[in-house]
Amino acid sequence: MNLKDKKTLSTLLVHAIIALVLFILFVAVPTSKGAAGWIAMGFTLIAIAASFFIMIYAFGKGSKLVSKVYGFPIARVGFLYAAAQTVVLIVICIVAAFVNVPAWISIVLSILLLGAAAIGIIITDNIRDHVEAIEEQTQAVTKNVSYFRTNLSGLTDRTTDPEIRKALEKLEDELRYSDPVSSEATKEIEGEIEERIDGLKGKMDGEKEKVLQEIAEIGNLVRERNRVCKREK
């Protein structure tokens, strides 16, 4: 059994135990429940089952960290729904021990809670989808600068020449503090930067002066990109 299946089974067992304990207590307590009490009990069992499926949905949709993080508000809706419905059950059972509680009261309260939970899940799930879309868009428009920095870092680790290393580290710093967002206006110059960095990989073992000159020219392109970014703001 893998970790995911084990977590699902554990979650199911916890919800099943809660439902079983509540039902046993409901039946065992020797008080009059009436139709209102049984209706509330039925909706409580539905709420506990719903909480389980909501939790599975909350953390089972998507594999990205942001999806998991924003799964907590969705799971919280399911937990609060089950908790609120349990409170309704307890209150109705207590009141029903002294006076007759009309069945319609139990139905109305339970339906209202069910509707509120459904709306809460829809809203929180839409928020998660929106955040995921923003993150994907952000990754798409910042991937070029990330690619440049990763490749330069690899070149820095490869070189043993202190002067070349210093020049590469300076170029990395320039990229680190550059605007990470790409646009149509920066597309051409970023293509040239990528080509120069890829070409630099094959020149690292060549003449030192030529390597330093190539790094300096890439730095000029990075600064030109920064000017384009600033102009487009």
Side-chain angles (χ1 to χ4, degrees):
M1 182 183 294
N2 59 42
L3 183 60
K4 184 178 179 180
D5 291 339
K6 186 176 181 180
K7 286 182 178 179
T8 301
L9 180 59
S10 298
T11 304
L12 175 61
L13 287 174
V14 169
H15 282 77
I17 290 169
I18 292 172
L20 182 61
V21 169
L22 276 176
F23 186 76
I24 291 174
L25 289 175
F26 176 79
V27 174
V29 176
T31 57
S32 175
K33 283 87 175 178
W38 283 100
I39 291 171
M41 183 71 247
F43 273 101
T44 301
L45 294 177
I46 291 172
I48 294 172
S51 177
F52 165 72
F53 288 109
I54 291 169
M55 187 170 293
I56 296 302
Y57 174 75
F59 299 114
K61 181 183 178 183
S63 57
K64 294 182 178 179
L65 178 60
V66 66
S67 181
K68 302 299 182 184
V69 170
Y70 278 86
F72 281 99
I74 299 174
R76 186 169 177 266
V77 171
F79 170 77
L80 290 176
Y81 168 48
Q85 181 60 51
T86 301
V87 170
V88 169
L89 169 66
I90 294 171
V91 170
I92 287 178
C93 286
I94 291 173
V95 175
F98 301 98
V99 297
N100 181 46
V101 179
W104 67 265
I105 293 179
S106 183
I107 294 173
V108 169
L109 290 175
S110 299
I111 292 295
L112 286 174
L113 285 177
L114 178 60
I119 292 171
I121 292 166
I122 291 170
I123 292 174
T124 50
D125 193 38
N126 285 339
I127 291 173
R128 173 166 66 176
D129 289 342
H130 182 62
V131 171
E132 286 181 343
I134 291 175
E135 187 194 38
E136 288 177 2
Q137 184 180 12
T138 301
Q139 288 178 345
V141 297
T142 60
K143 67 178 181 180
N144 285 342
V145 173
S146 296
Y147 173 81
F148 300 154
R149 288 180 58 190
T150 300
N151 278 271
L152 284 173
S153 180
L155 292 175
T156 304
D157 292 338
R158 275 176 51 191
T159 185
T160 57
D161 187 286
E163 195 172 348
I164 294 177
R165 175 180 288 273
K166 184 177 179 180
L168 286 170
E169 288 175 346
K170 181 181 177 182
L171 184 54
E172 281 187 70
D173 285 338
E174 287 192 63
L175 280 167
R176 183 178 294 111
Y177 297 110
S178 296
D179 189 331
V181 179
S182 301
S183 66
E184 281 298 318
T186 63
K187 186 176 181 180
E188 184 177 345
I189 196 168
E190 285 174 357
E192 190 173 351
I193 293 172
E194 181 179 352
E195 186 178 330
R196 289 294 192 94
I197 292 176
D198 288 342
L200 183 61
K201 295 177 183 178
K203 299 177 182 179
M204 291 297 292
D205 296 326
E207 294 181 25
K208 177 179 176 178
E209 292 304 320
K210 289 185 178 180
V211 173
L212 290 172
Q213 179 62 33
E214 186 68 19
I215 294 172
E217 290 178 6
I218 295 173
N220 290 335
L221 290 172
V222 170
R223 287 185 286 276
E224 176 61 26
R225 178 190 177 277
N226 291 341
R227 286 191 288 270
V228 171
C229 288
K230 190 175 293 185
R231 187 172 67 239
E232 293 297 309
K233 293 297 184 181

